[in-house]
Amino acid sequence: MEHALIETYGCTLNQADSDMIEGILRQSGVHTERGTYSKEANADYVIINTCTVKKPTEQKILDRIQKMSGKGDRLIVTGCMASANPDRIRKAAPKARIISINNVPEMLPKMLNGNPDTGMHAYKRIDRSKFIFNPMGVIARIPISDGCLSSCSFCETKFARGPLNSFSEELILKAVSNAVSNGAKEIELASQDTGAYGADKKTDIAYLVSKAADINGNFRIRIGMLNPEHLHKYIDRLIECYKSAKVYKFLHLPVQSGSDSVLKEMKRNYSADEFTAYVREMREKIPGISIATDMIVGYPTESEEDFEQSIALLKGIRPSVTNVSKFWERPNAAAKKSGRLSNATIKGRSIRMARLAKAIQYEDLALAVGSKERICITESNSKSNIGRDGLYRNIAVKGNEELGSEIDVRITGNSSVCLLAEKCS
Ligand code: SF4
C-alpha cells in the first residue's frame, strides 16, 4: 500500500480541503498521514496544501517545497499558492505537480494511477461539498463556500479562490448530519468569508446555521470568519441562531483597522463605528459572547493618527481575541502599488498592538477564574486535555479524558490564550 504525507498550511478552510484530499487518497487505497516534517522520507507521495496570506509563511512553504523537490512528480502542491502564484512553486520544484484545489477531486485519482498529467488546469468552479470527508473525529471541518464578494486591497487569497462560490446547502447539512452521527461534537463551518455565504444562492449564513442547529444530536457549531460588511443583511436572524445551545457564542469579525480612511483604502466596506455598533448589539443580545477580530498593522497609508485610532478601537471594544498581523505586500494584491512604511515603523506598531491585545485577552480570561464551566474535550494527549466551553474558550485540564466527553470543571487560573481548570469531583 502506498503512503502519502499531507502537509497543511493556513486557515480552517485549507484544513477542511486537506480532509477532502485525505478522503480521495484513502478511497484510492493510499495510506495517509497528516503532519509536517521528518515523515517525508518514507512517503511515496508528499502533498503540500499551501497558504498565500502572509509573505513569511509563503517563504517557509517555498523552502519546504524546495526541500521536497527531490520527490519529483510525487510532490503534489495545491492550495492558494498553487492558484495565485504557481510560478513560484515551479521555480522551487520544477517537477512537482501543481493542482488548484478545485481540480483535486478529478486530477488526484488520475495521478495516482500513473497519469503523467502535470496538473495545473484552469480554475474550475466546483461544489466541494460533494467531496466532504470526515475522518472519524470530534471536530468536523465543513467547507461551505469558496471565494468571496469583496476585493480587499491587501488580500492575495482573492486571486487564489476567485469570486464567491457557495456550496449546496443540502449537501452541507447532509455533511453536518453525517459528521454528528460519526461522533463529531464540534462542527466548524469554514470559508474565506462565511458572511458572504449564499449571496449567489438566495440563502445566507443565518439560514444555514439555523437549519444545521435543527439537526438532532449533541454538538456545537462554530461559525468561521465573517466579514462585517455583510452583517446588516441578516444580523437579527443571526442573533437568533446564537441563542441556540448548538451554536458557540463566538463571533470572528475581522475589523482590520480602526481608521475609516485606512478601511476605505483597504476596500473594506464598513466604518469603524459600524463595526463597533455590531459588536455592541451582539453583546447586548448574546451576553458574554466571545468576539474575535483581526488587525493589520502598518498598512501603506496608515498614519500615526490612523494607528492610534486602531489602538483606541481595541481599548474600546476589548475583543476576547485579537489576531495582529503586520502588513505584507502580496504579488497580485492592489496594495502593493501603495508603497510601504519602514520596517521599523511596522515592527514598532505591531509590537505595541500585540502587547495591548495580549493584556486585554489576559484580563478578559481572568474574569472567569473561580467559575464552574461544562466543557467538551476536543483535544487530548497523555498529560492534559483541551476542552471548549459554550464561549469557545480554550480550557486546559489535567488528566486523560476521553475525546468528545463532557465534564464539569472549576477555572483555577489563566494565561492570555487559555483558561486552566481542574475537574470537579
Ligand atoms: S473578504 Fe477580503 S480578505 Fe477575505 S478573502 Fe475576500 S478579499 Fe480576501
Side-chain angles (χ1 to χ4, degrees), residues 28-243:
S28 307
V30 175
H31 172 74
T32 61
E33 194 163 359
R34 302 281 285 263
T36 58
Y37 306 150
S38 74
K39 293 182 185 162
E40 73 273 359
N42 53 16
D44 301 295
Y45 295 95
V46 172
I47 290 122
I48 300 185
N49 188 358
T50 62
C51 168
T52 188
V53 169
K54 296 180 185 168
K55 200 170 180 178
T57 317
E58 180 183 74
Q59 195 48 55
K60 188 173 124 189
I61 298 170
L62 285 170
D63 295 346
R64 183 78 184 134
I65 290 171
Q66 187 153 34
K67 188 163 178 276
M68 291 295 99
S69 57
K71 288 274 176 195
D73 65 3
R74 283 173 168 255
L75 171 61
I76 296 165
V77 182
T78 186
C80 289
M81 211 195 296
S83 303
N85 306 299
D87 304 342
R88 295 182 175 210
I89 299 168
R90 177 72 51 229
K91 202 155 149 247
K95 292 207 181 92
R97 312 230 197 167
I98 305 173
I99 328 179
S100 73
I101 196 67
N102 276 344
N103 287 311
V104 164
E106 182 201 341
M107 301 290 306
L108 194 52
K110 281 186 187 167
M111 287 177 177
L112 297 171
N113 301 327
N115 177 314
D117 199 312
T118 55
M120 186 62 203
H121 288 276
Y123 189 91
K124 197 162 56 182
R125 281 171 72 84
I126 66 164
D127 184 332
R128 286 204 307 287
S129 59
K130 292 191 194 94
F131 305 100
I132 293 176
F133 167 73
N134 282 315
M136 301 287 274
V138 169
I139 299 176
R141 293 172 282 244
I142 310 282
I144 65 170
S145 61
D146 233 354
C148 67
L149 291 172
S150 313
S151 38
C152 307
S153 59
F154 53 80
C155 181
E156 188 74 4
T157 314
K158 184 77 189 177
F159 299 87
R161 302 274 182 163
L164 178 66
N165 172 22
S166 300
F167 303 156
S168 142
E169 195 176 78
E170 188 200 341
L171 290 176
I172 292 167
L173 294 171
K174 189 160 160 257
V176 172
S177 181
N178 291 346
V180 171
S181 27
N182 277 345
K185 287 291 177 71
E186 180 174 307
I187 302 291
E188 297 182 357
L189 301 182
S191 87
Q192 258 83 53
D193 179 9
T194 60
Y197 174 77
D200 53 345
K201 285 213 162 85
K202 297 195 175 51
T203 182
D204 62 40
I205 189 70
Y207 286 128
L208 178 68
V209 172
S210 70
K211 289 174 186 167
D214 286 343
I215 291 170
N216 284 335
N218 175 18
F219 63 95
R220 281 201 180 109
I221 299 163
R222 189 194 76 170
I223 301 174
M225 200 160 33
L226 191 154
N227 184 331
E229 79 167 272
H230 305 293
L231 210 39
H232 66 278
K233 299 169 188 164
Y234 43 69
I235 188 166
D236 296 338
R237 285 186 289 108
L238 192 66
I239 285 170
E240 287 313 306
C241 293
Y242 274 104
K243 292 179 181 166

